[in-house]
């Protein structure tokens, strides 16, 4: 059937194509080639999956926990579990906790009134106009005006929220009712403390402050003080500072031990070049964090050509204390091999204007290309002449570009001056001579 369908399609296409070819609308060779191309099966091309990263650019951990058998451990730390939930789940739990407590104690108040006979007494005396009997009835019941479950639910809300409208109140006739009142007050205070504390902790979480701590989109590798350095930029958008801010850098990559064990997430700490002994930074303006690629660095044997094929991820962690709240906050980001630019440098964004330092955040992640050796830091240490040759080539190319630019400017100026001269010459007025009868010549300009 399939072969018959293909042959029919070929015959139909061939018939239409030959008809068009006979009418000289399109060439016959084109018709045959097009029909053959349509009937060929297209190869399936699979899109390349993006490389999995341990830390996303936003700082979230790209990790999925599966097959956790001991789920009860989360209930042992119920407060942290509530804080870690999403807002919609927290608000649902917040609302249901109060509603369930009100309903539970409404049932208890209704049972107290039913066991004491208050509801039956109100049903018998319903509609009476005798004020004396009404006062005697209210002095003998446990809770006044609790005639149904609805009135018991309203009294439960009044007790727990301490509204006190005055229509329903306790009497001294029932010790059980007094016990329920004390129990509901205690439970209500516990629910208020837990839920309000949970809401406060969710609104004042440390990662909220980290939203205004920004990192550059790309990291760069360039020469600084004669050494290859790995650099990135970090900044704070708020005026309130981060106290005792410190930066840590880790390299995460997949490694294999000599015994054949595969370590999928192998973490290596790399030092940060900081002249301050306390290793803290003063993050009042955007700073460029520098890591010197030396013998202790995992990037020591990586060259510019090897960087694209490296399966590594550089994780940056910024920690500090929020000045306004005193809460410790942490901001994270990461750079994979495709996000590291070799031979680039960050542009300057801090300028002094009228005695005030100004920061242009529109150029926060901008870089410029600079001269940098394409070899690894190990090769640069073994052959320091590579750096000198690279700088000399860069200087020569810079001079050549300046010469070309000056020559182009000179040519443009000469062309401009020539065009101006031509225009001026075309505007010169010709002289006309007149002959007088005496034979003298008068010259005038027309």
């Amino acid at each position: 059937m399939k072969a018959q369908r293909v042959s029919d399609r070929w015959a139909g296409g061939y018939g239409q194509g030959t008809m068009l070819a006979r009418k000289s609308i399109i060439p016959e060779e084109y018709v045959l080639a097009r029909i053959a191309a349509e009937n060929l099966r297209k190869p399936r091309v699979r899109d390349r999956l993006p490389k999995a990263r341990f830390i996303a650019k936003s700082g979230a951990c790209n990790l999925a926990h599966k097959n956790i058998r001991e789920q009860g451990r989360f209930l042992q730390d119920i407060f942290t579990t509530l804080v870690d939930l999403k807002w919609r789940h927290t608000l649902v739990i917040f609302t249901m906790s109060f509603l369930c407590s009100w309903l539970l104690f409404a049932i208890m108040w209704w049972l107290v009134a039913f066991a004491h006979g208050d509801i039956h007494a109100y049903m018998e005396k319903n509609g009476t106009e005798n004020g004396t009997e009404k006062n005697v009835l209210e002095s003998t019941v446990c809770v006044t005006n609790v005639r149904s479950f609805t009135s018991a639910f309203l009294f439960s809300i009044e007790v727990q929220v301490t509204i006190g409208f005055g229509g329903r109140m306790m009497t001294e006739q029932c010790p059980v009712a007094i016990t329920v009142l004390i129990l509901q007050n205690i439970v209500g205070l516990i629910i208020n403390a837990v839920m309000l504390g949970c809401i406060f902790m969710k609104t004042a979480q440390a990662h909220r402050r980290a939203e205004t701590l920004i990192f550059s989109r790309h990291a760069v590798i360039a020469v600084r003080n004669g050494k290859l350095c790995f650099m990135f930029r970090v900044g704070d958008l708020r005026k309130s500072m981060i106290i005792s801010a410190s930066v840590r850098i880790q390299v995460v990559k997949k490694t294999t031990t000599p015994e054949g064990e595969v370590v999928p997430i192998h973490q290596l700490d790399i030092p940060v070049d900081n002249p301050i002994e306390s290793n803290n930074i003063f993050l009042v303006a955007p700073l460029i964090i520098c890591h010197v690629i030396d013998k202790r660095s995992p990037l020591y044997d990586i060259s510019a050509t090897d960087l694209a094929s490296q399966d590594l991820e550089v994780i940056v962690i910024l920690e500090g204390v929020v000045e306004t709240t005193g809460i410790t906050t942490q901001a994270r980001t990461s750079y994979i091999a495709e996000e590291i630019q070799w031979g680039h440098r960050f542009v300057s964004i801090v300028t002094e204007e009228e005695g005030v330092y100004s920061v242009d955040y529109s150029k926060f992640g901008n870089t410029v290309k600079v001269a940098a050796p394409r070899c690894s830091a190990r090769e640069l240490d073994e052959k320091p002449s590579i750096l000198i040759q690279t700088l000399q080539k860069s200087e020569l190319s810079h001079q050549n570009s300046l010469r070309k630019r000056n020559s182009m400017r000179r040519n443009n100026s000469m062309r401009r001056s020539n065009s101006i001269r031509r225009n001026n010459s075309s505007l010169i007025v010709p002289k006309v001579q007149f002959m007088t009868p005496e034979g003298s010549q008068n010259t005038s300009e027309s």
Side-chain angles (χ1 to χ4, degrees), residues 51-57 59-62 230 249-254 264-268 270 298-299 302 307 310-316 332-340:
K51 179 184 177 298
R53 57 196 310 160
F54 189 58
I55 299 294
K57 297 298 289 184
C61 294
N62 188 20
F230 172 86
I249 306 177
Q250 289 184 347
V251 172
V252 177
K253 62 180 181 178
K254 183 178 180 180
I265 302 176
H266 184 57
Q267 302 181 18
L268 297 172
I270 58 178
L299 309 176
I302 298 176
L307 181 62
Q310 291 292 321
D311 187 12
L312 59 85
E313 181 178 356
V314 181
I315 299 175
V316 179
R332 299 179 296 266
T333 190
S334 68
Y335 301 98
I336 57 178
E338 290 79 4
E339 297 170 348
I340 301 175

Side-chain angles (χ1 to χ4, degrees), residues 47-239:
D47 296 335
R48 184 180 178 183
L49 295 176
K51 179 184 177 298
R53 57 196 310 160
F54 189 58
I55 299 294
K57 297 298 289 184
S58 61
C61 294
N62 188 20
L63 187 66
H65 298 275
K66 297 182 178 180
N67 300 325
I68 300 177
R69 298 180 180 179
E70 299 180 2
Q71 298 286 345
R73 292 180 176 270
F74 295 99
L75 298 178
Q76 295 177 3
D77 188 10
I78 185 63
F79 185 78
T80 305
T81 303
L82 291 175
V83 174
D84 290 340
L85 290 175
K86 295 182 179 180
W87 267 108
R88 56 179 178 268
H89 299 155
T90 303
L91 292 178
V92 169
I93 294 174
F94 180 85
T95 305
M96 293 304 298
S97 62
F98 284 102
L99 287 177
C100 292
S101 63
W102 295 340
L103 287 172
L104 176 63
F105 283 99
I107 294 172
M108 295 179 66
W109 287 117
W110 185 84
L111 291 176
V112 168
F114 181 79
H116 193 260
D118 299 344
I119 296 177
H120 182 69
Y122 274 112
M123 291 176 64
E124 290 181 351
K125 301 295 182 180
N126 189 17
T128 181
E129 298 294 337
N130 192 347
T132 304
E133 293 181 358
K134 187 176 182 180
N135 293 332
V136 171
L137 177 62
E138 291 181 353
S139 62
T140 57
V141 297
C142 293
V143 181
T144 58
N145 295 326
V146 176
R147 296 182 175 88
S148 61
F149 181 78
T150 303
S151 59
F153 179 74
L154 294 175
F155 181 70
S156 175
I157 297 175
E158 293 178 13
V159 170
Q160 189 164 335
V161 189
T162 64
I163 297 175
F165 291 117
R168 284 169 286 271
M169 60 181 180
M170 288 281 301
T171 63
E172 54 189 18
Q173 299 297 324
C174 300
V176 178
I178 298 174
T179 304
V180 174
L181 177 66
I182 296 172
L183 181 62
Q184 185 172 5
N185 285 329
I186 294 173
V187 173
L189 290 175
I190 293 174
I191 294 175
N192 288 335
V194 173
M195 299 311 301
L196 293 180
C198 177
I199 297 296
F200 172 76
M201 290 301 297
K202 285 188 71 67
T203 54
Q205 278 184 335
H207 65 84
R208 302 296 180 188
R209 179 62 177 87
E211 296 294 334
T212 53
L213 297 174
I214 57 176
F215 298 90
S216 58
R217 182 73 179 176
H218 296 86
V220 298
I221 294 179
V223 178
R224 175 182 281 190
N225 299 326
K227 297 286 186 180
L228 277 177
C229 298
F230 172 86
M231 293 174 287
F232 60 92
R233 179 174 276 167
V234 60
D236 188 5
L237 299 179
R238 291 186 181 272
K239 291 185 177 180

